[in-house]
Amino acid sequence: MMHTSTAIDMQDRFLRGENSAVSIVQHFLQRIARYDKQIGSFLSVNETKALERAEHLDKKRASGRPLGKLAAIPVSIKDNILVKGCLATCGSKFLSNFIAPYDATATRLLEEEDAIIIGKTNCDEFAMGSSTENSALQMTYNPWNLKCTPGGSSGGSGAAVAGRLSPLSLGSDTGGSVRQPASFCGVVGFKPTYGRISRSGLVAYGSSLDQIGPMAACTADVALLMEVLGRSCEKDSTTIPKGPEDYLSKMDGSIRGLKVGVPWQFLEGLLPEAKRVFDQGLEILKSLGAAVVEVDLSLLKYSIPAYYIIATAEASTNLARFDGIRYGVRSPRSHTLEEIYDLSKEEGFGPEVKRRILLGTYVLSAGYQDDYYKKAQKVRTLIIKQYRDAFQKCGIIASPVSPFPAFEIGSIRDPLQMYLVDIYNIGVNLAGVPAISIPSGFCHEGKPIGLQLIGPQMHDVDVLRAANAFEQATDFHQAIPPEYAV
């Protein structure tokens, strides 16, 4: 069946003429129409545009013209990444009328390599959340258990790949927002080194933390996306001045002799079910010839407060542009300029976004910036140093992605408890290092649990190589939620 194939196999069959681009797109559009009413992963589907592009690719192949690396592969895009001419709501009522005037660099690169953008996926409002429950537009459900969240903030992308409604997807990761939904949905999610993928056209949340990341059913498909997206960009001064890499050929190989660091002290509070699957993952790595060593990442206990000071400070600055005049829906109750500003934000932003704007404004205010923001930045520097010291002892660090598998919708009401869901992810964003979530097992209820592998900056290929070796030794990544397998 087409939807059980990898993106690489799908493209190969297209290039050989076994499948047309139109038949591939129609297959996934039919699956979206059949299943997404239950899952709620898509906010919009580009049916007409996708079919037109597929017809163009079929003609291009028939004429013998060269085809791109992603030819005829449907890709879904998180709704905070711009696609020219399409809605870009960021899961917010505030942007429910915003049509993107240009392409993000990432989406432009996809289309240059002949990918077919099939639709935009749901997310927590402005990517602020860990469950996609903060979307102001609709609820998204986990294909493995429709009572549970798909994770967040890229929950729509994770659910779309898990339900095989889209073979590839792009999310954004500010504090685990690609890796955590990948873990909850039983798919692969990769956060590259900060600056490896351009942020141009990604609606900013925390600019020093945000990173676009690929999601797919297997590591090889993620590597294929990285070959297309991993390059410098003149529109984003934070991109790394390095050309594209050949990820696919470099990531295949043995990990015998690789030292895998485990921060056991930081993992003391890990719940039994998550610890069982994590220990099982370490045993698989050891069976492949890797050696497990202990590393010190004790400073990560401060990562949550440091992250929520830095991220919210940057968010309060980035979201100041949404005022009902330049961007966003204007309040119909407003008559004066002051009312436009106040009422548009009051009505347009949801409670979590307001909470983070208020917190960020507070930590940047006069008299508190030294006490909070500058201290958080000092802690960030120490965390970066501790990661560097840890990588002197090992090539890869292994940790859980989440303390637990997907939780039921509505079961976490306290915002502070929700913030702790990302305890094992946030340090990666503070340090700007690459990390991947790969399926590594299931809890007793049958919900997937991911293993996180972390590498030093610019060692993205090494992370993918370790993930690929793990994947080749297991079959967890091949599992599909039974209801969506046909």
Side-chain angles (χ1 to χ4, degrees):
M1 289 182 290
M2 196 178 294
H3 58 273
T4 62
S5 302
T6 67
I8 291 173
D9 287 343
M10 201 178 302
Q11 190 216 25
D12 285 343
R13 285 201 301 274
F14 168 70
L15 295 176
R16 292 195 301 266
E18 295 174 18
N19 292 120
S20 68
V22 168
S23 68
I24 293 171
V25 170
Q26 285 177 335
H27 179 79
F28 285 99
L29 288 174
Q30 287 166 5
R31 287 186 63 79
I32 292 168
R34 180 180 178 184
Y35 292 122
D36 203 47
K37 292 174 184 175
Q38 298 171 335
I39 300 173
S41 56
F42 282 87
L43 289 175
S44 60
V45 179
N46 302 337
E47 182 173 352
T48 302
K49 185 179 177 182
L51 287 170
E52 287 174 354
R53 187 158 178 79
E55 289 173 2
H56 167 73
L57 288 176
D58 284 335
K59 292 175 182 176
K60 190 175 180 181
R61 183 187 62 183
S63 67
R65 285 180 286 165
L67 292 158
K69 289 185 176 183
L70 298 171
I73 302 176
V75 185
S76 57
I77 308 291
K78 185 176 178 180
D79 208 33
N80 63 343
I81 301 171
L82 302 188
V83 178
K84 186 177 180 179
C86 296
L87 276 172
T89 69
C90 297
S92 177
K93 290 179 181 177
F94 210 130
L95 292 181
S96 58
N97 66 347
F98 179 65
I99 305 292
Y102 62 92
D103 279 317
T105 296
T107 54
R108 175 180 59 79
L109 291 171
L110 291 177
E111 293 199 320
E112 285 178 358
E113 291 293 339
D114 291 330
I116 298 174
I117 295 174
I118 202 167
K120 305 295 291 294
T121 55
N122 195 22
C123 58
D124 285 298
E125 186 177 7
F126 288 100
M128 297 181 187
S130 303
S131 64
T132 315
E133 292 173 281
N134 290 331
S135 171
L137 303 181
Q138 68 185 40
M139 190 69 74
T140 299
Y141 303 90
N142 192 316
W144 286 96
N145 185 327
L146 294 176
K147 294 180 181 178
C148 294
T149 80
S153 61
S154 307
S157 292
V161 175
R164 301 305 192 266
L165 309 184
S166 169
L168 302 176
S169 193
L170 292 189
S172 66
D173 193 312
T174 306
S177 288
V178 162
R179 290 161 287 146
Q180 187 247 37
S183 175
F184 282 10
C185 293
V187 300
V188 179
F190 182 55
K191 188 212 85 74
T193 297
Y194 179 80
R196 198 65 184 103
I197 296 178
S198 172
R199 291 183 298 110
S200 175
L202 170 68
V203 178
Y205 161 23
S207 300
S208 72
L209 303 158
D210 295 340
Q211 186 62 70
I212 291 174
M215 304 178 79
C218 68
T219 306
D221 286 352
V222 164
L224 177 63
L225 276 172
M226 284 303 300
E227 287 191 357
V228 172
L229 301 175
R231 61 192 69 204
S232 61
C233 171
E234 62 181 16
K235 296 178 181 178
D236 177 5
S237 62
T238 64
T239 52
I240 295 165
K242 184 177 181 181
E245 277 188 271
D246 188 355
Y247 287 83
L248 280 167
S249 66
K250 290 181 179 178
M251 77 168 195
D252 210 11
S254 170
I255 60 167
R256 184 166 298 279
L258 175 69
K259 290 184 178 180
V260 178
V262 179
W264 287 115
Q265 184 181 357
F266 181 57
L267 304 180
E268 287 177 354
L270 192 59
L271 296 175
E273 190 83 352
K275 188 175 187 305
R276 175 185 63 80
V277 175
F278 179 63
D279 289 343
Q280 172 185 293
L282 293 180
E283 290 302 316
I284 292 169
L285 290 171
K286 285 195 277 188
S287 74
L288 296 171
V292 173
V293 298
E294 184 168 5
V295 293
D296 179 20
L297 289 177
S298 54
L299 286 175
L300 290 183
K301 64 186 176 183
Y302 301 115
S303 62
I304 291 278
Y307 170 86
Y308 278 101
I309 290 171
I310 294 169
T312 58
E314 293 179 2
S316 72
T317 303
N318 282 325
L319 269 64
R321 72 192 72 177
F322 300 106
D323 53 14
I325 296 176
R326 291 168 293 182
Y327 299 97
V329 176
R330 185 176 300 183
S331 170
R333 296 189 293 134
S334 60
H335 301 288
T336 66
L337 181 62
E338 188 174 347
E339 286 177 342
I340 290 173
Y341 286 145
D342 292 345
L343 294 175
S344 296
K345 292 185 178 186
E346 180 185 327
E347 297 170 9
F349 290 138
E352 183 59 34
V353 175
K354 290 176 182 175
R355 186 180 295 118
R356 298 193 191 198
I357 290 173
L358 287 170
L359 178 57
T361 304
Y362 177 78
V363 300
L364 289 176
S365 60
Y368 295 101
Q369 192 171 125
D370 287 347
D371 290 339
Y372 295 104
Y373 184 71
K374 289 186 179 178
K375 276 186 181 176
Q377 291 288 19
K378 289 178 181 177
V379 170
R380 183 181 195 173
T381 301
L382 293 173
I383 288 173
I384 292 170
K385 182 179 184 302
Q386 194 165 64
Y387 266 111
R388 286 177 180 161
D389 292 343
F391 284 123
Q392 296 299 312
K393 299 180 179 179
C394 64
I396 293 288
I397 292 172
S399 82
V401 181
S402 172
F404 36 70
F407 49 89
E408 288 197 8
I409 291 169
S411 62
I412 300 181
R413 297 289 186 185
D414 181 359
L416 294 180
Q417 289 300 312
M418 186 67 81
Y419 296 165
L420 292 172
V421 169
D422 292 321
I423 182 69
Y424 300 127
N425 300 321
I426 280 171
V428 165
N429 296 82
L430 290 170
V433 294
I436 196 167
S437 170
I438 48 175
S440 64
F442 295 86
C443 70
H444 69 280
E445 295 176 331
K447 294 183 286 190
I449 296 177
L451 172 69
Q452 180 169 222
L453 300 176
I454 307 164
Q457 286 186 348
M458 291 308 298
H459 285 251
D460 301 52
V461 171
D462 294 337
V463 174
L464 290 171
R465 183 184 299 116
N468 187 55
F470 183 94
E471 203 173 83
Q472 297 303 310
T474 63
D475 59 3
F476 301 122
H477 65 287
Q478 296 174 355
I480 301 175
E483 192 174 343
Y484 306 101
V486 294

